[in-house]
Amino acid sequence: MVQTKLFALGRLAAGAGLCLASAAAWAHFPIGHCKALDETTVQCKGGFSDGSNAPGLTLDVISYDEKILLSNKLDKNSTVTFKRPPGQFYILFDAGAGHVVEIDHTEIDS
Amino acid sequence: MSKVIAARTERTASKAPASGVALKWKRWRFYLSALVLIAPLAYLPEYFEDLALSRGDAGLGQREVGEFAVGPWSVRLAEWQIAPPEREGLAGYVKLFTLAQCQECIGHIKAIYLRVGEPRSLRTAGSLFSGSPYRQMAEVLIPERTGPDDEMWLTLEGWDGAVHQARVPLSEASPSTVQWLQQRKGRP
């Protein structure tokens, strides 16, 4: 009898856990952050809003006139390091259509 | 037979009389059970409102923004809920919008995007609407730097490659978001 009750409680807890997990998995947005390691080098880290990493995610460095200056993929640590191009540019984390993050060159942390 | 009756009488007699606390608890347990059954009734109106909204019986969303001409097409835009943006983990705050394509547009539009501020390119056109052409949804990121006077940009991409855009003031698209922005002014 006690075992049956425990089993029912266990099922209830598992169900609640799955519901919560599905709510957490409802949506996640790409996120990105870039900082200047020195005057010529920039390091960017990308991932998703649920805290997960995104190795292999495309990161493009694009000039204001829409020329792709550099195209990289995030490494296994979800980071990428590149030489800072001259002029005005922005960094684009691209996780697919509608799932992008833009970071302007003025928003790179020093 | 008489033995059985005698045994039952003996068992009943051996039971200790219930204490006052136990009696009270029994009575209040009954009231508590009734309360547990009745309490959810208070949430019924909200439940039916949510149900009507998700079924589409209450329209596109809690607040329809209006119909907007975008190039040769037009779309109806709505706020899913009259509420401030919601926190979406590390990404920041997002706001859910819904949209319906005009009857003649269906089949001609490849993708619809929405964002705060002018997009630099099609890649940065914002959140992509998903769902049937009669009701598509998109969660739009409200960036930290967003101001109450900012505009939302709708970008429609056709199957023929044509791209058309329209601007909607944020104050028109979501007054609740503007109110929220004004309240949190200066806060990170």
Side-chain angles (χ1 to χ4, degrees):
Chain A
M1 184 67 179
V2 174
Q3 274 181 337
T4 315
K5 278 188 178 173
L6 281 175
F7 183 65
L9 274 174
R11 283 202 303 184
L12 193 68
L18 281 172
C19 287
L20 287 173
S22 65
W26 166 248
H28 52 269
F29 286 75
I31 54 168
H33 177 253
C34 293
K35 63 178 179 182
L37 295 181
D38 55 46
E39 281 185 4
T40 58
T41 316
V42 177
Q43 188 177 61
C44 293
K45 184 170 174 60
F48 290 101
S49 54
D50 62 352
S52 59
N53 283 340
L57 192 85
T58 300
L59 181 145
D60 288 343
V61 181
I62 304 168
S63 65
Y64 275 14
D65 56 357
E66 288 303 312
K67 283 181 187 150
I68 295 177
L69 305 172
L70 293 164
S71 190
N72 295 289
K73 301 268 184 199
L74 299 187
D75 63 16
K76 61 180 179 181
N77 298 317
S78 216
T79 61
V80 70
T81 306
F82 57 90
K83 291 281 173 202
R84 188 182 188 123
Q88 294 177 316
F89 63 91
Y90 67 97
I91 296 152
L92 189 76
F93 292 83
D94 192 347
H99 290 86
V100 296
V101 178
E102 278 173 71
I103 296 176
D104 194 76
H105 70 100
T106 56
E107 295 171 331
I108 297 171
D109 289 345
S110 50
Chain B
M1 182 68 179
S2 61
K3 275 183 185 174
V4 175
I5 293 168
R8 276 185 187 166
T9 315
E10 200 174 303
R11 274 209 300 274
T12 313
S14 66
K15 271 189 180 174
S19 69
V21 177
L23 276 174
K24 272 187 181 173
W25 165 238
K26 267 193 173 178
R27 181 173 297 165
W28 281 102
R29 199 170 56 178
F30 169 74
Y31 293 139
L32 199 64
S33 306
L35 183 70
V36 166
L37 288 173
I38 293 166
L41 296 178
Y43 294 95
L44 270 184
E46 196 183 331
Y47 169 74
F48 284 117
E49 277 170 24
D50 285 350
L51 204 62
L53 193 63
S54 56
R55 279 181 175 169
D57 297 339
L60 266 182
Q62 280 187 348
R63 180 182 160 273
E64 192 150 328
V65 181
E67 186 156 2
F68 299 93
V70 191
W73 305 305
S74 72
V75 292
R76 286 190 299 125
L77 186 70
E79 267 186 284
W80 178 245
Q81 285 183 315
I82 304 171
E86 289 181 353
R87 182 91 198 177
E88 187 58 57
L90 299 166
Y93 288 88
V94 296
K95 176 80 186 161
L96 183 59
F97 287 92
T98 53
L99 172 149
Q101 299 178 16
C102 65
Q103 195 63 38
E104 306 77 46
C105 312
I106 295 171
H108 299 284
I109 301 171
K110 183 181 174 186
I112 302 178
Y113 304 88
L114 183 65
R115 62 167 280 165
V116 176
E118 186 178 358
R120 297 175 196 261
S121 64
L122 192 58
R123 279 179 87 186
T124 60
S127 298
L128 179 66
F129 278 88
S130 61
S132 101
Y134 302 97
R135 187 174 72 182
Q136 297 182 289
M137 291 186 166
E139 282 187 298
V140 180
L141 188 71
I142 309 295
E144 287 287 333
R145 58 181 179 277
T146 306
D149 300 325
D150 280 352
E151 289 178 317
M152 301 204 77
W153 282 67
L154 257 173
T155 303
L156 273 63
E157 183 190 10
W159 284 105
D160 58 358
V163 174
H164 301 281
Q165 290 180 307
R167 288 180 285 180
V168 184
L170 186 59
S171 55
E172 194 181 327
S174 175
S176 54
T177 301
V178 169
Q179 194 183 0
W180 172 78
L181 284 168
Q182 284 163 342
Q183 280 171 355
R184 72 191 305 268
K185 204 174 179 181
R187 276 192 286 169

